[in-house]
Amino acid sequence: MSSTGDKVKGMANEAVGNVKQGVGKATDNSRLQAEGKVQERKGEAQQAVGNTKDAVKKGVDKA
């Protein structure tokens, strides 16, 4: 997957995770809150992968 694809999926997972956390908090559903937190972290990791791919590509392009 491209770095842009990783970043987009990461942002989407973060957004969905935040929504799940909010809904879980509003409905006092700790399981949904936990799922949201996990999904948010997954999104952050996906974005980090995309950023790393960009950095590697820029380093290779400069060489």
Side-chain angles (χ1 to χ4, degrees), residues 3-63:
S3 62
T4 303
D6 288 324
K7 290 178 188 178
V8 169
K9 280 190 174 190
M11 284 188 272
N13 272 319
E14 265 193 87
V16 171
N18 282 325
V19 170
K20 281 184 179 180
Q21 288 180 67
V23 171
K25 191 172 188 175
T27 60
D28 199 30
N29 184 335
S30 59
R31 187 178 135 260
L32 191 58
Q33 281 180 292
E35 284 179 19
K37 186 62 114 175
V38 168
Q39 191 161 4
E40 180 183 9
R41 296 292 183 235
K42 178 182 175 184
E44 290 170 356
Q46 284 174 313
Q47 286 190 59
V49 167
N51 289 334
T52 301
K53 285 181 179 178
D54 277 347
V56 168
K57 184 178 183 316
K58 286 178 185 173
V60 169
D61 287 346
K62 286 184 179 180

